[in-house]
Amino acid sequence: MASSFTRLMSGRNTAVLLASLGAGTMATGFLMSENNSVGAEMKKKLYPPSSDFPDLRKHNNCMAAALTPAVYAKLRDKLTPNSWTLDQCIQTGVDNPGHPFIKTVGCVAGDEESYEVFADLFDPVIKDRHNGYDPRTMIHPTDLDSSKITNAVFDDKYVLSSRVRTGRSIRGLSLPPACSRAERREVERVVVNALAGLKGDLAGKYYSLGDMTEKEQQQLIDDHFLFDKPVSPLLTCAFMARDWPDARGIWHNNEKTFLIWVNEEDHTRVISMEKGGNMKRVFERFCRGLTQVEHLIQERGWEFMWNKRLGYILTCPSNLGTGLRAGVHVRLPKLSKDSRFSKILDNLRLQKRGTGGVDTAATGDTFDISNNDRLGKSEVELVQVLVDGINYLIECEKRLEKGQDIKVPAPIAQFRK
């Protein structure tokens, strides 16, 4: 048991006490550095929150808009059960004032409890990012019945590939920004053991990044099947690349049409994809595979993070709810040059990216177009929004090819009435 002197020396007023006893600056610093119980959090409390408040004057992200000095003062010294702090949540947003192509969120969760402990920050961020969704009063719907999707086979002349992805987190384990090596390895063990139970067209194999040959790894990256080490400062400043490539890997079925990334930005990233425009088949495989994976996880005594207000819990607040991004690579040479293109996308609740991903600008006449929303609508609703929108864009392209005029559609509602 620590002596009374040791407990006294570990308090927040150690420096003042030593000074009053006549200790010099060097002795004071030595004793404080030697005392392991005077951690970073205790040192932080020597200063008021106003002294720690980040300089956000030139920032343009959701976190910077929501984080006031009062909110920071209220939350700075709070900890989640896994000892995750507010400053760790916001570090990526502090280090990255803005993004050239999208308005970023600017904060991440370290565990499931982050969304409750730091709700005074996360709630307004969620409301901002998800266009008014109120996590305190609204309920998020879930629906994985792919039979409800209609008109979801596109013309291959325009649509080059189709893809649906989401993420899932294992309850009880810290998320990638905060996880220890042991937790990350436990995620890998739980997921890989569960995936071994997939059968039929979903049966496949797991490849650990640490065990792959360089040739195998590069081929999977070139085929857009595998993630590479994060280099985006949005991810590295959120502590995503620690210990790379420890306990990271990819599982895919034999046809490479159903993939699961392990321990990238989330515990798992589940992807269904194929060449061409058959979104109906892609989404059917997605729903079937995701349902089976969840069942296999539960059989082994684990479950996914989920609650009725936020849906499925993931690292970035932008992916809460469904975590779903349904997208296609589509050629629109004439429509993309029309001044109304961006307004049409906005009204259809769609977003465009370069075909290289979130950090790339759209070039040429081929775009990665996907649903803009994640939270407040079900998986079926969001995929149908994408399907209806792509069909409208293709119809516009065909009309322009014939020299006919096009119309900007009326805005569609984001939430159920």
Side-chain angles (χ1 to χ4, degrees):
M1 180 178 294
S3 68
S4 298
F5 180 74
T6 301
R7 290 196 299 270
L8 180 62
M9 295 301 289
S10 68
R12 61 180 294 177
N13 293 317
T14 302
V16 175
L17 174 62
L18 289 170
S20 69
L21 294 174
T25 303
M26 182 176 296
T28 302
F30 173 77
L31 285 170
M32 290 189 70
S33 64
E34 285 296 296
N35 192 331
N36 291 331
S37 62
V38 184
E41 290 308 308
M42 290 303 297
K43 291 179 182 178
K44 178 191 292 184
K45 292 179 182 179
L46 290 173
Y47 301 95
S50 59
S51 297
D52 260 339
F53 188 75
D55 183 354
L56 303 174
R57 290 174 295 175
K58 297 182 180 179
H59 287 57
N60 178 34
N61 55 48
C62 298
M63 177 278 294
L67 188 65
T68 65
V71 170
Y72 185 81
K74 180 178 179 181
L75 301 180
R76 185 195 67 167
D77 297 329
K78 289 189 175 184
L79 297 172
T80 69
N82 297 302
S83 298
W84 186 251
T85 69
L86 173 69
D87 280 305
Q88 289 169 313
C89 287
I90 67 174
Q91 194 63 56
T92 183
V94 174
D95 291 347
N96 296 280
H99 190 281
F101 307 125
I102 58 174
K103 181 180 181 181
T104 57
V105 173
C107 55
V108 295
D111 47 30
E112 185 171 10
E113 294 82 1
S114 294
Y115 289 107
E116 293 300 323
V117 174
F118 307 117
D120 290 298
L121 171 67
F122 278 111
D123 283 357
V125 165
I126 291 166
K127 196 169 185 177
D128 183 6
R129 173 57 182 84
H130 295 282
N131 301 289
Y133 183 90
D134 189 340
R136 292 295 134 186
T137 63
M138 300 177 76
I139 302 297
H140 172 78
T142 296
D143 188 350
L144 290 168
D145 183 356
S146 63
S147 68
K148 297 177 181 178
I149 298 297
T150 60
N151 303 315
V153 180
F154 306 122
D155 188 338
D156 287 352
K157 175 183 175 182
Y158 301 95
V159 175
L160 308 181
S161 63
S162 305
R163 166 176 166 150
V164 182
R165 64 86 164 157
T166 190
R168 291 292 187 266
S169 307
I170 308 298
R171 177 161 281 157
L173 298 172
S174 296
L175 296 170
C179 67
S180 65
R181 297 183 189 93
E183 286 179 302
R184 189 185 304 116
R185 292 165 186 168
E186 182 69 352
V187 169
E188 182 184 44
R189 185 193 69 79
V190 169
V191 172
V192 172
N193 285 347
L195 293 175
L198 289 174
K199 307 296 182 184
D201 67 319
L202 296 177
K205 181 180 178 181
Y206 180 70
Y207 299 85
S208 167
L209 262 62
D211 296 335
M212 285 184 194
T213 66
E214 289 187 9
K215 183 178 180 180
E216 288 173 331
Q217 181 172 335
Q218 190 58 51
Q219 184 60 55
L220 287 170
I221 292 172
D222 292 342
D223 290 339
H224 304 290
F225 295 152
L226 183 63
F227 54 94
D228 200 358
K229 181 177 181 177
V231 294
S232 166
L234 298 175
L235 299 179
T236 56
C237 293
F239 321 113
M240 300 289 191
R242 293 174 299 124
D243 309 310
W244 199 272
D246 186 72
R248 276 90 168 188
I250 177 176
W251 179 98
H252 64 71
N253 66 344
N254 296 327
E255 292 78 22
K256 295 184 179 179
T257 56
F258 187 68
L259 303 88
I260 296 182
W261 295 351
V262 179
N263 284 323
E264 188 226 16
E265 182 178 340
D266 291 298
H267 286 166
T268 63
R269 192 59 71 84
V270 182
I271 307 163
S272 177
M273 61 192 296
E274 64 181 65
K275 297 292 186 182
N278 197 331
M279 179 60 78
K280 177 76 172 177
R281 184 166 58 209
V282 169
F283 188 53
E284 184 280 329
R285 185 191 309 115
F286 172 85
C287 295
R288 179 164 49 90
L290 193 56
T291 300
Q292 290 188 28
V293 170
E294 182 164 18
H295 177 69
L296 290 166
I297 291 282
Q298 290 173 340
E299 277 188 341
R300 287 154 178 79
W302 298 84
E303 62 182 348
F304 292 142
M305 297 181 190
W306 177 90
N307 68 57
K308 65 181 181 180
R309 295 181 298 101
L310 299 178
Y312 288 98
I313 304 299
L314 295 169
T315 299
C316 181
S318 66
N319 285 323
L320 292 169
T322 61
L324 183 140
R325 182 175 182 271
V328 299
H329 285 187
V330 56
R331 291 187 64 251
L332 300 168
K334 293 189 177 297
L335 179 59
S336 62
K337 294 179 175 65
D338 192 288
S339 61
R340 294 165 288 185
F341 185 37
S342 293
K343 182 63 175 176
I344 290 172
L345 290 175
D346 288 343
N347 285 7
L348 293 174
R349 304 294 307 164
L350 300 178
Q351 62 180 351
K352 72 175 186 293
R353 299 176 176 176
T355 55
V358 66
D359 287 319
T360 63
T363 58
D365 59 16
T366 302
F367 300 86
D368 181 345
I369 295 182
S370 61
N371 56 294
N372 190 46
D373 302 315
R374 306 282 185 269
L375 182 60
K377 283 186 176 179
S378 71
E379 291 82 356
V380 166
E381 289 174 299
L382 291 177
V383 171
Q384 193 64 58
V385 164
L386 181 277
V387 166
D388 293 343
I390 295 299
N391 282 327
Y392 190 87
L393 297 178
I394 292 174
E395 181 60 29
C396 287
E397 184 68 22
K398 290 179 176 179
R399 290 183 64 85
L400 291 173
E401 289 172 353
K402 298 174 183 177
Q404 299 172 345
D405 195 19
I406 61 174
K407 295 182 179 179
V408 176
I412 64 173
Q414 182 183 357
F415 304 122
R416 291 176 176 177
K417 298 296 185 182

